[in-house]
Amino acid sequence: MSRAVPGSRFRSRTKSLSRKPLVFVAGAALAAPLALAGAAQATAASSEYTVTPLKFTVSAGGRSCTVDADLYRPSGADAQHPAPAVLATNGFGGSKSDGSTDGIGKAFASRGYVGLVYSGLGFGKSGCLITLDDPEADGTAAAALVDFLGGTRAADDGTKADFVTQDAPGDPRVGMIGGSYGGAVQMATAAVDHRVDALVPLITWNDLGYALAPNNTGAAQGVSSDTAGVFKWQWTNGFYLMGEGQTILSPSLDPSRFGSLTCLHFAAKACDTVRLLNSGRYPDGKTAAMLDYARSVSPVSYLDRVKAPTLLIQGQADSLFNLNEATATYKTLKEQGTTAKMIWQAWGHSGGQVDGELDLGQGNLESSYVGGRILAWFDRYLRHETNTDTGPEFAYYRDWQSGYGTADAVPGLTRKMYLSGDGKLVDNRSKVARGSRQYSNWLVPTSHSESSLGGLIGLPDPKPYDTKGTYLGWTSAPLTSAVDVVGSPKATLKVVSPKTERVQNSGDASDKLVLFAKVYDVAPDGSRTLVNRLVSPVRVPDVTRPFTVRLPGIVHRYEAGHRLEFAIAASDDAYFGNRGIKPVTVVSAPEDTGVLELPVAP
């Protein structure tokens, strides 16, 4: 199942390149987005393409606003020699002029595509409120730009695009690409406008409700859970402050809200969601309503309307939108018959840049594996080169072996390990020792897993740790041979917590037990590595019943001589935790114990 990818186009290179994530995250990455050379001029020119700044007045989400865009026209493209188009917008907090967004326009225009790159609603010099990629707002605005590419509308200055390949009158040959916020908008657009011919969303979400308040048990659909999750306060408030921190001269400002001085740039329901999450109270009767808005503007709610062939690219180093989100989208698309393939690259919102990997700011499409796959995707679905090989169904970056591994599907759960009463992680139920062990939370966080916001902007960030007495770990014997885990591990657990049992049905979901599951790689010298610093937050629906935990997907080789440690912790400082002190006991016996299942690549 795991094999190196054949063909020079799809082979990884080791050339050293600058590597910026496609999305701007909190901190220094926001401070100096690259400006587009010549943007102040009416038209900027190069030997390969021209760049023309344009404005579009659009109606989106019940408002009229201006969209700020740049049109990249390749040399030689005219009505007699039309070219397919690529449409793109920025990640959250960016604009059409940041390095990776205008890099898309440059990269594809230099390869003969018409590029239309714009600042998303609420960012840069584009107006309207930030609606978190609502199809009825952001999708509708993008559809108006598709009208421009289709020749049925002009820019505000009268500019028309009569040099774009048409599938039918008013139906341009157009694909979309972009990352994070600029990834979700593609699916929002494709849901409301079936003229879009191909999508390449990078490092984006399936369910924003899960991303902001994940619960990795009780899943009802994909990553979505029917039980309130655990608030991811660092990421959520970081992005909220990024949106609200824009200048009061921003076109996205809503003057009607000056009186309260809050929620000046976001749709009201987005602010309401953040406020309720920050309150720490999740009344069961309002749990669904709390995340209704976040889910309504997420692909999980409208993927059934997405028909465009989709190449999903997700980052392994990503504690904001983990691999499980892309997997949920991929499975839904495949099940409904939409053409889809998936790649797990090295980098995401939490870093992970590797020499030779895709960097759209540098335009290294041909020299990177992921870039080659993107070019092939657009060759097939925009240039209609029907013999183009678009690559395997599933591919994943390996740091222990050159080239990407590939498979027909994400590996299934094939290896079971059992939680023994003596703290061992054993490979056979008969080896489980009877026993019980206990931990308890403190009123302050006592574990650290994810890179903090301080770490993302270059401040000191400690390695992952757990405080004695506030977590339990089960450790395997040294491995006799390497184990390659590719996918999402699963744990089945049952805990005893009398204090939780007394209050868990109080009517407030925040009275339920919260815990955090993770798997460490323990080296022979005892040092512990938390792969990509990923943790699985859980709000247990009912402590009187067993529950399953789906951990974030990983790609990692546990080397021979190393040990696996499965841990559950009482808290994590990137998330809200338990209300009150809730001691937890885990009981083990051969006939009834916790189980860890691993997706091991053959």
Side-chain angles (χ1 to χ4, degrees), residues 26-92:
L30 274 171
L34 300 179
L36 173 65
Q41 304 175 18
T43 302
S46 76
S47 60
E48 298 177 308
Y49 52 84
T50 59
V51 185
T52 305
L54 298 174
K55 303 287 186 183
F56 298 89
T57 300
V58 304
S59 178
R63 294 173 179 258
S64 177
C65 56
T66 298
V67 172
D68 185 31
D70 285 326
L71 176 65
Y72 291 75
R73 179 174 178 172
S75 299
D78 54 30
Q80 288 72 44
H81 306 91
V86 172
L87 179 64
T89 188
N90 50 274
F92 196 94

Side-chain angles (χ1 to χ4, degrees), residues 225-237:
S225 175
D226 50 12
T227 299
V230 185
F231 181 35
K232 190 185 294 185
W233 71 270
Q234 284 192 358
W235 273 116
T236 303
N237 286 313

Side-chain angles (χ1 to χ4, degrees), residues 541-560:
D542 183 352
V543 295
T544 66
R545 299 175 179 272
F547 56 95
T548 60
V549 178
R550 180 69 67 174
L551 281 79
I554 59 172
V555 177
H556 183 68
R557 168 166 285 184
Y558 294 86
E559 297 285 359

Side-chain angles (χ1 to χ4, degrees), residues 295-314:
R295 285 183 175 153
S296 73
V297 299
S298 295
V300 67
S301 296
Y302 57 75
L303 272 177
D304 60 330
R305 293 186 276 155
V306 175
K307 307 301 180 184
T310 302
L311 177 62
L312 291 158
I313 301 167
Q314 204 76 350

Side-chain angles (χ1 to χ4, degrees), residues 6 9-10 341 373 376-377 385-392:
R9 166 171 282 183
F10 298 152
K341 294 185 177 181
R373 291 288 301 273
W377 199 255
E385 296 178 1
T386 56
N387 292 328
T388 298
D389 178 12
T390 59

